[in-house]
Amino acid sequence: MTDNRRREPARPAGTTSDVREPLPRLLPSRSRTGAGAGRRSGRLVLGAVCGLSAGAAALGVAELAASAVRPQASPVVTVGGAVIDRTPPALKDFAVRHFGTNDKPVLESGIVVMLALFALTLGVAALRFRRSASAAVLVFGVVGVLAARSRPDRHGLDVLPPVVGAAVGTAVLWMLVGILALRGAPPASPPDPNPGPAPAADPAADAGPPSPPLPEPRSFDRRRFVLAATATATASAGAGLLGRTLNSRHGAAAAASRAAVVLPRPASPARAVPAGADLRVPGLSPFLTPNPAFYRVDTALVVPKVDATTWRLRLHGLGVRQELSLSYADLLRRDLIERDITLTCVSNEVGGPYVGNARWIGVRLADLLREAGVQPPSRGGPSDQLVARSVDGMTIGSPVETVMDGRDAMLAVGMNGEPLPFAHGFPVRVLVPGLYGYVSACKWLQELELTTFDAYDAYWVRRRWSRRAPIKTESRIDTPKPFATPKAGSVPVAGVAWAQHHGVDRVEVRVDGGAWHTARLGAQDSADTWRQWVWPWQATPGEHTLEVRATDREGRTQPEYRVGTLPDGATGWHSVVVTVT
Ligand SMILES: Nc1nc2c(c(=O)[nH]1)N[C@H]1C(S)=C(S)[C@@H](COP(=O)(O)O)O[C@H]1N2
Ligand SMILES: [Mo]
């Protein structure tokens, strides 16, 4: 198949002499002399149109096929997921930092742009190497199949969309390029000097004559080409849109199951947030983060939509005396606890946004473990790691000792008064106060397995993040914002500080490297929640640098020393530069 490519590798785009020009002139009325450049660019455009049409057809059909399988089977999603899994930690960190929650759309657009570029190139190449280039489209099918097979949550039918898409793409490219060669030409398929599967290592093939390029007609059937290209484009767009629409309906049963949830009153309600917890300073993060504003960090390109009525949780593994299998209704029937817990992402840079505080309702995780007969290592239990597995194949490992040490580790079902939003793990997620999300907060939970840290590395640990990662004591200035221009006089400097499970003891602020001033703290809700703080600054005109540091109740002061987020969370003081007018 690649025989002619091997012999004429250099310039498929037609920069060889006009004598060998394989394709019709786009502007037949022009005289041959002096029209070379025009013809060449005309040919490039035609090739690009063929390639892009084939690419669009492949994607559109694949999208439609995915809607028959499941939204996650879309090749853009599987390839994107495979890219995420293989992204080096530093690059992933860069993406999260620079694109934030937009990193997923950026990745998906990137994949589509790459595909378009390849399609365009293949289209141009197909003008000269019709067979090889058309067949090369199949390579994308192979890439799609490999990506689908590499996903941790793969389903057998996930390979269907890339296979069908690639087949259609190949056919469309072959057909469109064929039209370009139709009229006024010798037979469209010239005799093949080297029929059948090409013996790749045949030295005679190298010496042999080039396979004839596509015949040179006087003029191709433009009407026919335009019609075919337009029909292809319309059909692809239609298939793609239909696929997307069907995909978006995919979660209907899950949405209905979520809408039907009535969260029971917790047996152990949270105490009311103390009156002084929210300092109500303009520009300061609210004490409880509303669900739509709560940060989201995960690897899911398509948010899993799980039907709570069919969901089950399995608890098993090393040291489990009694395996458990629980339905969502089973969980709701149990005694529920309600707690305010501040969740933080290890990828949160100093001053970053990946921290939020919510009121959660759930089942005490330690109770479930005890029911299953699990003992913490300190009591001689054989397992020291609890691995949570999600429906999308994420694995998150937490220390059994920490989960069972009396803190409010829970399987959460509710967030700020409603069932978990899909993006935050509906129907059930894990929360362990004091641990970064990547070692505790598994969303879309479906399995809990007891094992050891020696025996098993979870997803992020395989990507160079630490096995154990308690949240570091940190503080952030929320107001004034960087490069703000407040008026001279009294300016409230305010923000949040967190030291989950220990509690924040003190927050200090300084200006231009001067003396530290103790900020006023909002009332403490619990040791697992953040605290607001405010310091009234008598601001004088000019440029000033504000810095903040927190001290927790263990006496640990946030260090000035800056380290990055890898492997177990950033350190350093948050600083903000403002110009007082
Ligand atoms: N299934 C699944 N759960 C996951 C993740 C993920 O990628 N997949 N990311 C974890 C990380 S790194 C964090 S910080 C928290 C974030 O939870 P949130 O998106 O509800 O804020 O979820 C955790 N749980
Ligand atoms: Mo995270």
Side-chain angles (χ1 to χ4, degrees):
M1 290 275 215
T2 55
D3 51 337
N4 20 6
R5 225 213 251 148
R6 206 156 18 85
R7 260 170 283 146
E8 300 179 355
R11 298 277 156 74
T15 46
T16 46
S17 74
D18 280 351
V19 184
R20 299 209 57 253
E21 177 188 345
L23 272 168
R25 295 174 291 154
L26 184 62
L27 306 166
S29 58
R30 270 204 210 159
S31 75
R32 265 187 175 264
T33 50
R39 279 201 307 276
R40 270 198 293 277
S41 60
R43 281 203 315 264
L44 287 183
V45 169
L46 283 178
V49 168
C50 293
L52 286 175
S53 303
L59 259 194
V61 167
E63 206 59 33
L64 188 57
S67 72
V69 181
R70 57 185 196 128
Q72 284 85 346
S74 155
V76 178
V77 174
T78 56
V79 170
V83 169
I84 290 176
D85 287 349
R86 281 160 190 75
T87 302
L91 181 60
K92 185 209 143 244
D93 224 38
F94 171 88
V96 169
R97 195 160 350 139
H98 290 270
F99 306 121
T101 318
N102 289 329
D103 59 348
K104 293 188 182 83
V106 167
L107 173 64
E108 292 194 338
S109 323
I111 289 171
V112 171
V113 168
M114 288 291 286
L115 256 182
L117 286 177
F118 278 121
L120 204 145
T121 310
L122 280 182
V124 172
L127 300 182
R128 186 175 286 270
F129 310 116
R130 184 181 174 200
R131 264 191 324 151
S132 306
S134 302
V137 176
L138 294 175
V139 172
F140 291 95
V142 173
V143 171
V145 166
L146 291 178
R149 306 265 316 154
S150 79
R151 302 301 301 139
D153 63 334
R154 63 188 162 264
H155 287 37
L157 283 178
D158 288 354
V159 299
L160 197 72
V163 167
V164 177
V168 168
T170 300
V172 166
L173 187 55
W174 176 261
M175 174 214 44
L176 286 180
V177 173
I179 294 177
L180 290 181
L182 267 185
R183 193 201 292 168
S189 291
D192 189 335
N194 191 3
D202 181 1
D206 279 337
S211 70
L214 287 172
E216 182 176 6
R218 276 198 188 76
S219 137
F220 66 99
D221 189 338
R222 276 210 279 178
R223 229 176 78 87
R224 187 163 165 177
F225 180 77
V226 169
L227 268 176
T230 313
T232 307
T234 314
S236 332
L241 282 178
L242 182 61
R244 284 261 144 154
T245 313
L246 292 175
N247 269 337
S248 66
R249 298 227 182 108
H250 192 82
S257 79
R258 183 174 181 275
V261 172
V262 181
L263 288 177
R265 292 177 64 81
S268 168
R271 63 181 196 125
V273 174
D278 209 322
L279 297 171
R280 298 184 194 288
V281 177
L284 178 54
S285 307
F287 181 74
L288 284 171
T289 314
N291 290 352
F294 205 95
Y295 83 91
R296 177 185 161 207
V297 170
D298 56 57
T299 59
L301 283 171
V302 173
V303 172
K305 297 271 172 70
V306 179
D307 183 343
T309 61
T310 55
W311 176 89
R312 288 200 84 83
L313 171 69
R314 179 170 172 235
L315 191 158
H316 66 109
L318 187 65
V320 172
R321 245 190 301 110
Q322 175 70 53
E323 274 202 22
L324 298 182
S325 170
L326 298 162
S327 70
Y328 187 70
D330 291 338
L331 284 186
L332 293 194
R333 267 194 295 272
R334 302 175 62 98
D335 281 352
L336 300 180
I337 59 172
E338 180 188 48
R339 297 291 183 268
D340 298 339
I341 297 168
T342 299
L343 183 60
T344 309
C345 181
V346 71
S347 292
N348 193 50
E349 282 192 287
V350 171
Y354 303 129
V355 52
N357 183 42
R359 173 158 288 199
W360 310 88
I361 293 179
V363 171
R364 198 180 266 287
L365 185 46
D367 290 351
L368 277 183
L369 292 176
R370 269 191 290 271
E371 263 178 53
V374 175
Q375 298 278 2
S378 61
R379 296 229 187 157
S383 49
D384 64 359
Q385 183 178 209
L386 174 65
V387 173
R389 208 166 263 118
S390 71
V391 301
D392 62 333
M394 172 55 60
T395 53
I396 288 182
S398 320
V400 174
E401 195 65 53
T402 309
V403 169
M404 300 185 79
D405 74 356
R407 71 185 72 199
D408 294 320
M410 66 163 96
L411 300 185
V413 293
M415 181 179 185
N416 288 329
E418 52 170 313
L420 288 181
F422 285 114
H424 296 288
F426 181 84
V428 178
R429 78 174 305 167
V430 182
L431 285 175
V432 184
L435 303 186
Y436 283 120
Y438 86 101
V439 286
S440 66
C442 188
K443 307 193 273 189
W444 314 294
L445 177 71
Q446 72 172 4
E447 184 187 331
L448 290 169
E449 180 175 359
L450 277 300
T451 179
T452 62
F453 279 104
D454 278 346
Y456 186 78
D457 282 340
Y459 184 92
W460 298 107
V461 175
R462 275 177 259 145
R463 287 159 179 79
R464 303 208 346 254
W465 297 86
S466 291
R467 289 194 172 77
R468 298 166 188 265
I471 298 174
K472 295 178 180 176
T473 298
E474 273 191 79
S475 53
R476 181 180 78 192
I477 300 170
D478 283 352
T479 181
K481 298 271 174 274
F483 311 116
T485 53
K487 284 207 179 58
S490 183
V491 174
V493 180
V496 284
W498 57 90
Q500 285 92 324
H501 209 57
H502 302 296
V504 172
D505 191 47
R506 187 170 72 238
V507 170
E508 297 160 292
V509 184
R510 69 176 186 179
V511 184
D512 301 328
W516 288 101
H517 305 275
T518 305
R520 180 163 71 88
L521 286 174
Q524 172 166 295
D525 180 0
S526 83
D528 294 334
T529 56
W530 62 11
R531 287 178 87 169
Q532 297 186 348
W533 56 267
V534 62
W535 177 65
W537 175 33
Q538 289 306 315
T540 53
E543 191 182 282
H544 297 290
T545 302
L546 301 164
E547 286 173 296
V548 66
R549 69 178 186 193
T551 301
D552 63 32
R553 295 215 154 139
E554 309 272 282
R556 277 180 306 235
T557 298
Q558 183 181 346
E560 175 175 19
Y561 181 64
R562 281 221 171 204
V563 302
T565 55
L566 250 177
D568 62 358
T571 66
W573 295 336
H574 187 211
S575 66
V576 164
V577 175
V578 299
T579 304
V580 178
T581 57

